[in-house]
Amino acid sequence: TMLPELWLCLSFGCAASLSSSCLSAQFRRPGDFVLGGLFPFGKDTVNLTARSEPTLLVCERLFSEGLIWALGMRFAIDQINNSTSLLPGITLGYDMYDTCFEALVALQPSLLFLTRNGTTGIGVLCNYTEYQPRVTAIIGPHKSDLCLVTAKLFSSFLIPQVSYGASSETLSNTELYPSFYRTVPSDKNLVEAVVLLLNQFGWNWIATIGSDDEYGRGAQALFLSMVGSDNICIALEGLIPTELAEPAARRQLEETVRVINSSKVSVIVLFAHSLAAQGLLEQSLRMGLGKKVWIGTEAWVMSDIAASIPNIQNIGTVLGFVMKAGTVPGFQEYVAELFGSVQQEEFCRESRELSRRMNAEVLDTHCQQCDNVTLGDIGPMLRVTTVQPVHVAVYSVAHALHRALGCTQKACPKTAIMSWQLLHFMNTLPFEVNGQSFRFDQSHGTNTGYKLIFWAWRDGTLTYLPVGDYEQSLYILKSQIKFHTADQKEPTSECFRRCQPGQFRRIKGFNLCCYDCTDCPEDTFWSSTDSTSCSPCPQQQWAPARSTQCHDRSERFLFWDEPLAMALGTLTALSTALSGATALLFLRHLRSPLVRDSGGTRSLFALLSLALLSLSCCLYVGRPSRGLCAGQQLSFALGLNGCLSTFLPKALEIALLTEFPRRAARLLRWVSRGRAWLLVAASLLTQGLLCFCYLRVGPDELLADYKSLPSEVLLLCDTKSWVAFTLLHGYNSCLAFACFLCTFMVQSLGTKYNAARGITFATLIYFIVWIFFVVIFATLRTVLRAVTQICTILATTLGILGSYFVPKCYIIVFKPELNREDYFQNGAEEEAEDSVS
């Protein structure tokens, strides 16, 4: 059983007091050359700020691998000091401190290591060539996060730092970290092994989760950069918190598990340290996540923390890569002997003496609150913890020091060696540890390769079963792996799936294997099963969404059998009939004063023009053609001009009688009786010339619109030239405006009929209708464009009939007593006649 400890350590320090005061002092020893050690003696730390200075750091922890690694460093140094061939006559010392897994905690002993030897100050110099720090080299720390902080510090002084656990690829940059080395492979080698594993099993639809620290983020980033070229698709990439005690951590874990479940992946790659992995695995079990294949790393696969989770057998299949590391002969016996000596008085006396010689007041390592730790407390961890990386790290410094001093097999000269002088020998020459050769590569790492292990459960007991090997290539004993599936065969986890007919593959990211099935949009069709896009339909065809073929477009225009066309046809017939009936009524009473006052036969011509104008609405119904498109505007302009041209002589007559009564007698003969027909003919001739210009400049043309309607081709008459359109209809607007100006100011006598008022309202209605028509007609591009023109014609025709002719019909039919000379003769006209006589 692991024993908890509660340590109160001043300032940043959680010192290396790990058992009784006697064993605590054993982590400091003087020598000719001193090696600094940074180890995570505890598993968890909590920072609390006290109410008064100094700041307190509370470390509540269980013993972990850090204690064993520290003992591994001691063991290696003791071996070297007892060796007759490696550094003979030279004594190595050590000064170890706890990092508490905190960068700030690791920073204080790091600064202590940089102080000038024999002092407690760091020299500020222009040239550090002759600078001799307190330690010759540093072993540790274990985590990449801490190494990124300390490596910059030690690289500034070119002090060799050899980590036994930091695998971040960032630390491979020898320009930023020239004095950083490690005795473990970098994350790049690990990620390459994971990618090969996925490829061998054909898993290309996976989730990747990393702990929210330098190790997790760095390894996941490397993994994501490599999988693209191997067509491995990432269904989910996420980070899990490292501080599980925070309130938001549980919510983040729940969300991660929920997304994993919804993504339906069968394989999860987990780059995390043991505590973060424990949080995710526990949450997965609580939320009932189905069994998956978990691919892990040594950071959690070999940890007793993850393996001791209740019901962890139900998590699925666990595969993990662990670094190849040999055993260190004699280490377990060494630890057993050390713990057996702790209770001896001689051991304690020597420990206290060594502590005094190491200037203990600089950073006190003594802790009165520490419990005694027995060999049985660390026994389970001792059996699974890999000590070789620490062992190799110490020996790499010792071999470099041996060559820098120029030692022989029998003796070493007692000369001063600067720390930076060791770098050359560490970079170039191999060294041997326990019969195995090691060498730092160009990135200052050692790639010893990996073993692939499988969590094998037998009768509730976990066994780490080796099932593969990786160096430059990956070899797997697939028959040894019993997966969680019913047949114990590897599950499938593929992004490939067949899209339904009418769907195409939309590639996600840069991987061809990963895609969404997306419906083909309108006017496109699905051509083949493996198509990554939909083919567009020809212009004369269309297709609905998710279609496998195109269909011919039907023509769309205003059909005769449509309800709207039938309603407009009824109005057209009514307008034509009303014009004809009015003409017959006027013809019957052609000699009456009212009809003669309205223009007589000219009124019949106006009504005939309105009847023809109404009938021109039929040109807008049915399938349009090039000739019909040109004829529509011509019939509209000529029919309206035939009516307005008959109003002009009457309007000029009224204007002369009311505005110029003394000259009216001489001018009236030009606008009345037979000569008025000359004005009508001239107006029609002018409109005819404008129609000719319209045909030459740009008549309306037939347009097949394939864009406005989804499944039909819209046939409409499109205005080719707005200049021609303005020329054609502008003249009628000028006629109407002239008639309006001549009549709108005329006052009526109480006993006389005001002939001007009908022309005024008729032209005013014409202008109102055309204002709305032009605005709508210019912007409309549907079948309603023809409807708009029909409505404009009918509104104009009925407006003129209603405002000018219907009141006269009312008098003829219902008020015949008013149809007499004295009622329709204008007062000004009488005055003009008197002046003539």
Side-chain angles (χ1 to χ4, degrees):
T1 304
M2 303 298 179
L3 295 180
E5 292 186 334
L6 179 62
W7 294 338
L8 300 178
C9 313
L10 291 178
S11 187
F12 300 117
C14 274
S17 307
L18 295 179
S19 73
S20 68
S21 59
C22 297
L23 182 59
S24 172
Q26 291 296 313
F27 292 101
R28 313 185 72 185
R29 177 179 292 178
D32 298 320
F33 297 95
V34 177
L35 304 185
L38 297 172
F39 297 95
F41 290 117
K43 289 182 180 177
D44 191 19
T45 59
V46 181
N47 292 335
L48 299 177
T49 302
R51 295 183 179 178
S52 59
E53 295 295 336
T55 300
L56 298 181
L57 182 71
V58 178
C59 305
E60 183 177 359
R61 306 170 294 177
L62 299 177
F63 284 115
S64 66
E65 295 95 336
L67 172 60
I68 299 173
W69 287 327
L71 294 175
M73 178 175 172
R74 269 201 51 173
F75 175 62
I77 291 178
D78 286 347
Q79 278 188 326
I80 294 168
N81 288 338
N82 293 329
S83 173
T84 58
S85 58
L86 182 61
L87 294 177
I90 297 295
T91 302
L92 292 182
Y94 48 84
D95 197 2
M96 304 181 200
Y97 291 92
D98 187 6
T99 64
C100 286
F101 291 98
E102 293 287 343
L104 288 177
V105 177
L107 192 60
Q108 188 182 17
S110 298
L111 292 173
L112 177 63
F113 292 156
L114 292 176
T115 59
R116 192 190 296 269
N117 193 18
T119 70
T120 57
I122 300 176
V124 180
L125 306 174
C126 294
N127 187 348
Y128 284 89
T129 304
E130 301 299 325
Y131 187 81
Q132 183 64 57
R134 182 184 182 92
V135 298
T136 303
I138 294 92
I139 307 300
H142 175 258
K143 290 184 66 177
S144 298
D145 303 66
L146 305 185
C147 285
L148 287 172
V149 176
T150 58
K152 289 183 179 179
L153 196 62
F154 297 135
S155 292
S156 300
F157 289 80
L158 294 181
I159 299 177
Q161 176 186 3
V162 188
S163 174
Y164 50 89
S167 59
S168 172
E169 182 63 18
T170 305
L171 294 166
S172 297
N173 190 334
T174 56
E175 293 183 0
L176 290 177
Y177 311 104
S179 67
F180 179 82
Y181 299 82
R182 54 182 160 206
T183 54
V184 294
S186 73
D187 288 337
K188 183 178 180 181
N189 304 114
L190 173 64
V191 168
E192 288 174 350
V194 173
V195 171
L196 288 175
L197 174 66
L198 295 173
N199 284 332
Q200 285 211 21
F201 283 106
W203 294 326
N204 61 19
W205 181 242
I206 65 169
T208 173
I209 311 294
S211 53
D212 196 6
D213 54 20
E214 178 60 31
Y215 171 72
R217 290 190 299 267
Q220 189 179 60
L222 270 175
F223 179 72
L224 293 174
S225 67
M226 287 187 181
V227 295
S229 58
D230 290 270
N231 289 331
I232 295 174
C233 305
I234 306 300
L236 163 69
E237 55 178 285
L239 296 174
I240 53 176
T242 55
E243 298 294 336
L244 300 178
E246 295 181 357
R250 185 183 181 93
R251 293 193 299 271
Q252 188 174 346
L253 288 173
E254 290 177 352
E255 180 62 22
T256 301
V257 175
R258 190 177 298 110
V259 175
I260 292 174
N261 192 43
S262 63
S263 66
K264 303 186 185 309
V265 297
S266 300
V267 178
I268 302 170
V269 179
L270 179 57
F271 300 104
H273 287 291
S274 55
L275 287 176
Q278 177 192 18
L280 179 62
L281 295 173
E282 286 179 345
Q283 190 64 38
S284 300
L285 291 170
R286 277 196 297 267
M287 296 179 65
L289 182 68
K291 291 183 177 182
K292 309 288 183 182
V293 176
W294 296 80
I295 299 176
T297 62
E298 188 171 7
W300 67 271
V301 168
M302 296 295 292
S303 172
D304 64 320
I305 296 177
S308 61
I309 297 174
N311 299 318
I312 190 63
Q313 306 95 300
N314 299 326
I315 203 67
T317 303
V318 178
L319 297 171
F321 286 97
V322 298
M323 185 185 64
K324 284 184 179 179
T327 60
V328 178
F331 176 65
Q332 293 197 19
E333 294 78 3
Y334 173 80
V335 175
E337 181 182 355
L338 179 65
F339 272 86
S341 304
V342 168
Q343 304 301 326
Q344 299 177 10
E345 180 59 31
E346 180 64 20
F347 180 89
C348 292
R349 185 188 63 78
E350 291 179 359
S351 297
R352 287 191 290 269
E353 178 62 26
L354 290 172
S355 180
R356 282 193 295 271
R357 290 170 59 189
M358 282 296 296
N359 193 12
E361 70 275 5
V362 173
L363 194 60
D364 192 7
T365 63
H366 185 68
C367 183
Q368 299 293 339
Q369 292 83 12
C370 300
D371 295 327
N372 291 321
V373 180
T374 66
L375 181 62
D377 295 331
I378 66 170
M381 189 64 64
L382 187 62
R383 288 191 290 270
V384 297
T385 300
T386 302
V387 183
Q388 190 188 43
V390 179
H391 200 69
V392 173
V394 175
Y395 268 88
S396 68
V397 176
H399 279 282
L401 190 60
H402 182 94
R403 290 159 182 157
L405 288 170
C407 299
T408 65
Q409 294 292 326
K410 297 182 179 180
C412 287
K414 294 280 188 175
T415 59
I417 292 293
M418 301 297 108
S419 297
W420 58 267
Q421 292 177 301
L422 299 180
L423 299 180
H424 169 72
F425 299 99
M426 295 185 70
N427 289 340
T428 57
L429 298 177
F431 56 95
E432 188 174 295
V433 181
N434 294 328
Q436 186 177 357
S437 179
F438 295 89
R439 183 172 189 162
F440 292 112
D441 56 26
Q442 292 182 347
S443 59
H444 293 180
T446 57
N447 185 11
T448 56
Y450 292 93
K451 292 187 299 181
L452 178 64
I453 65 165
F454 164 62
W455 277 15
W457 295 92
R458 294 185 177 90
D459 300 326
T461 302
L462 175 61
T463 302
Y464 302 109
L465 181 65
V467 293
D469 184 85
Y470 170 76
E471 286 187 5
Q472 298 300 323
S473 60
L474 178 63
Y475 171 73
I476 303 176
L477 292 170
K478 292 185 178 181
S479 60
Q480 298 293 318
I481 304 175
K482 307 299 180 184
F483 287 94
H484 59 271
T485 54
D487 58 359
Q488 295 188 338
K489 300 294 183 181
E490 66 266 19
T492 59
S493 187
E494 296 178 338
C495 184
F496 291 111
R497 61 188 186 278
R498 292 192 176 274
C499 294
Q500 297 298 319
Q503 294 181 323
F504 71 97
R505 294 178 176 180
R506 185 184 294 277
I507 304 299
K508 295 190 294 187
F510 301 98
N511 301 315
L512 296 178
C513 70
C514 196
Y515 54 83
D516 287 327
C517 289
T518 306
D519 293 346
C520 288
E522 293 182 352
D523 294 331
T524 62
F525 70 100
W526 172 75
S527 57
S528 65
T529 305
D530 298 327
S531 178
T532 57
S533 63
C534 295
S535 302
C537 291
Q539 190 178 48
Q540 67 275 13
Q541 292 183 323
W542 75 285
R546 197 172 177 177
S547 178
T548 58
Q549 62 179 348
C550 295
H551 309 279
D552 291 334
R553 289 179 178 269
S554 59
E555 294 181 343
R556 183 70 176 101
F557 46 84
L558 189 59
F559 292 92
W560 282 104
D561 57 354
E562 289 187 49
L564 182 58
M566 296 173 67
L568 293 174
T570 302
L571 284 176
T572 299
L574 179 62
S575 175
T576 305
L578 185 59
S579 300
T582 303
L584 290 175
L585 184 62
F586 270 48
L587 180 62
R588 184 177 178 183
H589 298 84
L590 188 60
R591 299 298 180 182
S592 66
L594 185 149
V595 175
R596 284 190 291 109
D597 184 72
S598 301
T601 54
R602 295 195 307 274
S603 295
L604 294 178
F605 183 77
L607 290 168
L608 178 62
S609 298
L610 290 178
L612 293 175
L613 183 60
S614 298
L615 289 174
S616 70
C617 293
C618 297
L619 299 176
Y620 297 91
V621 185
R623 191 183 191 281
S625 64
R626 184 175 181 182
L628 281 177
C629 289
Q632 287 174 357
Q633 300 301 329
L634 293 178
S635 62
F636 191 1
L638 287 172
L640 185 60
N641 185 266
C643 177
L644 294 178
S645 63
T646 62
F647 289 171
L648 183 61
K650 187 62 179 178
L652 292 175
E653 179 185 344
I654 293 172
L656 289 173
L657 290 173
T658 56
E659 301 297 331
F660 310 99
R662 297 188 180 277
R663 299 181 180 179
R666 296 191 301 271
L667 299 175
L668 279 175
R669 63 179 179 270
W670 295 101
V671 294
S672 61
R673 296 182 177 87
R675 292 185 179 182
W677 281 104
L678 294 176
L679 286 177
V680 175
S683 178
L684 286 171
L685 180 61
T686 303
Q687 185 65 60
L689 291 173
L690 292 174
C691 288
F692 178 76
C693 294
Y694 165 78
L695 292 174
R696 297 292 294 178
V697 174
D700 287 7
E701 59 184 0
L702 179 63
L703 175 66
D705 184 1
Y706 294 95
K707 297 181 180 179
S708 298
L709 300 177
S711 61
E712 300 168 309
V713 51
L714 178 62
L715 299 180
L716 52 85
C717 295
D718 187 55
T719 303
K720 181 179 180 181
S721 171
W722 284 100
V723 174
F725 183 88
T726 304
L727 284 174
L728 183 65
H729 295 286
Y731 179 65
N732 284 333
S733 299
C734 293
L735 280 181
F737 188 65
C739 293
F740 179 78
L741 287 179
C742 291
T743 59
F744 85 103
M745 291 295 291
V746 174
Q747 299 294 325
S748 63
L749 299 175
T751 59
K752 300 290 184 180
Y753 176 77
N754 191 347
R757 193 62 61 229
I759 298 176
T760 302
F761 280 109
T763 54
L764 185 60
I765 290 173
Y766 163 78
F767 284 122
I768 294 173
V769 170
W770 264 80
I771 289 172
F772 284 100
F773 165 70
V774 171
V775 173
I776 297 174
F777 185 75
T779 57
L780 203 60
R781 289 184 69 86
T782 66
V783 73
L784 296 178
R785 186 181 175 98
V787 175
T788 303
Q789 296 185 77
I790 294 174
C791 291
T792 301
I793 293 173
L794 294 177
T796 304
T797 303
L798 293 174
I800 293 175
L801 286 173
S803 60
Y804 187 79
F805 290 102
V806 170
K808 293 175 173 58
C809 293
Y810 175 79
I811 293 175
I812 293 173
V813 177
F814 297 102
K815 298 289 185 178
E817 67 276 9
L818 297 178
N819 194 356
R820 61 181 187 273
E821 294 286 347
D822 60 337
Y823 184 72
F824 288 97
Q825 189 171 21
N826 192 285
E829 183 180 355
E830 295 173 355
E831 183 180 342
E833 292 176 353
D834 292 342
S835 62
V836 171
S837 61

